[in-house]
Amino acid sequence: MEIMVFFSLLLLACSVSTNPIDTDIENHDQQISNQQPCPQDIHDVLRELTASLTEQKSLTLKQKVLNNDISLSLSATQVAFSAFLMNQGTGYTGPFPTLFTLIFKRAVTNIGNAYNQHTGIFTAPVRGVYHFDWKVYGKENIQAGALLYRNGEKISIAYELPTSGGVSASNAASLLLQAGDQVSVRLSAYSRIYENPDNHTTFSGHLLFTM
Ligand SMILES: *[C@@H]1O[C@H](CO)[C@@H](O)[C@H](O)[C@H]1NC(C)=O
């Protein structure tokens, strides 16, 4: 703003001094020599203006870098996991008369180690929005249902009742979690799921962004 005012004033000063009021030749000559510095001044000012704008741009850039540094240090938290129900073999899990926390024993990906393959529980390392999906596989007329839980709160269910053969049920949710919040998948009461080395039954989660 200051620069613009200064620049306008200079232009004004220049236009005034270039105005040939004096008709006296000697004076006029002198005036011409006096006028000379004006376009020169404009160039100087333009240079100054450019330099100043460049400086301002680099200041803005510095500020951006600074801000980015802050968000970079936050988003440096990298969280992603995918786990399969079984390490090996084939078999059923359930049915049980109550909810049963599924332990997806084989973590194929576990960046950030927020998922615990011994307990089946994911613990949010930072406040942020996380995406989860899970899938269960059931067979032979016994319901296959599994619920996503945030701490003690039921979020949603993946559910199927296989009438014949095998069926898959899946669901997904993006959740805002506080640091320390726990997410797990629980087999619903009287459900039964089946697993073999094909990795039908999975649980995955990713940090989308911190907040
Ligand atoms: C299931 O997962 C195991 C362990 O990661 C892998 O060795 C196997 O090939 C997977 N099975 C299929 C059908 O992809």
Side-chain angles (χ1 to χ4, degrees):
M1 198 54 172
E2 274 172 30
I3 299 158
M4 291 314 286
V5 171
F6 176 56
F7 189 56
S8 310
L9 280 177
L10 192 101
L11 281 178
L12 192 68
C14 273
S15 66
V16 167
S17 66
T18 46
N19 203 5
I21 315 159
D22 215 322
T23 45
D24 185 271
I25 289 181
E26 208 179 317
N27 268 349
H28 195 230
D29 277 352
Q30 208 187 337
Q31 219 176 355
I32 284 170
S33 69
N34 277 346
Q35 276 172 31
Q36 288 294 31
C38 237
Q40 198 58 48
D41 280 354
I42 288 172
H43 281 127
D44 283 349
V45 167
L46 279 176
R47 243 196 307 278
E48 209 175 302
L49 201 64
T50 310
S52 176
L53 283 177
T54 310
E55 196 187 339
Q56 259 186 342
K57 255 188 202 166
S58 86
L59 273 179
T60 316
L61 200 69
K62 265 183 205 162
Q63 194 57 46
K64 272 187 189 163
V65 167
L66 215 68
N67 290 345
N68 259 347
D69 272 354
I70 296 160
S71 61
L72 272 180
S73 66
L74 283 174
S75 66
T77 312
Q78 295 180 319
V79 183
F81 78 93
S82 259
F84 304 145
L85 191 66
M86 284 167 63
N87 250 336
Q88 55 184 20
T90 296
Y92 292 101
T93 305
F96 307 116
T98 54
L99 281 170
F100 176 82
T101 300
L102 291 173
I103 301 172
F104 296 79
K105 295 188 189 71
R106 175 142 193 143
V108 279
T109 306
N110 199 3
I111 311 296
N113 282 308
Y115 173 73
N116 185 325
Q117 59 189 3
H118 304 291
T119 61
I121 293 168
F122 172 87
T123 306
V126 290
R127 176 182 150 91
V129 175
Y130 296 77
H131 186 78
F132 298 94
D133 49 82
W134 68 106
K135 184 168 155 290
V136 292
Y137 183 69
K139 284 169 76 154
E140 294 151 8
N141 295 306
I142 294 180
Q143 62 178 351
L147 297 138
L148 188 74
Y149 268 77
R150 170 171 55 196
N151 302 319
E153 178 196 1
K154 214 179 340 186
I155 302 292
S156 52
I157 192 169
Y159 179 90
E160 273 290 349
L161 179 61
T163 47
S164 64
V167 294
S168 282
S170 62
N171 208 337
S174 288
L175 302 175
L176 171 61
L177 302 180
Q178 309 299 327
D181 275 357
Q182 297 193 323
V183 173
S184 60
V185 173
R186 303 183 191 178
L187 189 69
S188 62
Y190 305 109
S191 271
R192 186 183 72 171
I193 55 174
Y194 173 80
E195 186 59 305
N196 62 19
D198 288 340
N199 314 317
H200 289 286
T201 298
T202 61
F203 178 31
S204 297
H206 323 92
L207 169 63
L208 297 179
F209 47 86
T210 56
M211 278 187 75

